[in-house]
Amino acid sequence: MDEDLPLLVIVDAANVVGSVPDGWWRDRRGAAERLRDRLAADGLPGHAGPVEFVLVVEGAARGVESVPGVRVESAAGSGDDHVVALVERAAGRPVLVVTADRELRRRVAAAGADVTGPRTVRP
């Protein structure tokens, strides 16, 4: 594993946004934008080193723009499949996936990623 590369943090936006019943369903795109902005402002709590964030959006949240510090990728199909593909392409570098989705957790762990839940990036 190439420890010189920053930690790649892949965030399952739909799952993280949906983890708190704050009305996100009324404006999925706005909720994804707020999550993106929080990631850009707060980074990864408890992690001292450099981090590269990728926020994976799908459905009504597609089209959310990237900002400095957070690259946003719109999944053409399944957001879960897109997250797994990103993990597979990142072979050889440290990867952390943020999701509570059990099946996605299993798939990305099998591909070599570490996994954490939404509370890591969402208070």
Side-chain angles (χ1 to χ4, degrees):
M1 185 165 304
D2 190 343
E3 298 295 331
D4 293 332
L5 292 171
L7 175 65
L8 175 61
V9 180
I10 303 170
V11 180
D12 176 3
N15 187 269
V16 172
V17 164
S19 69
V20 177
D22 61 0
W24 59 264
W25 51 90
R26 291 188 291 271
D27 181 11
R28 292 170 194 249
R29 184 181 176 123
E33 288 170 339
R34 288 188 297 278
L35 174 59
R36 175 205 59 200
D37 294 347
R38 185 178 310 112
L39 295 171
D42 298 345
L44 183 64
H47 183 78
V51 173
E52 177 186 347
F53 279 109
V54 178
L55 181 65
V56 176
V57 297
E58 61 186 307
R62 282 190 190 104
V64 170
E65 298 291 327
S66 296
V67 297
V70 181
R71 184 174 83 237
V72 180
E73 294 201 9
S74 294
S78 160
D80 290 1
D81 290 346
H82 194 84
V83 169
V84 172
L86 288 171
V87 170
E88 290 170 345
R89 284 196 302 256
R93 74 178 286 188
V95 179
L96 177 67
V97 174
V98 182
T99 187
D101 181 304
R102 285 188 202 133
E103 177 61 14
L104 180 57
R105 291 171 74 94
R106 184 195 64 74
R107 291 174 65 194
V108 297
D114 290 322
V115 185
T116 190
R119 289 185 187 159
T120 302
V121 296
R122 183 162 188 171

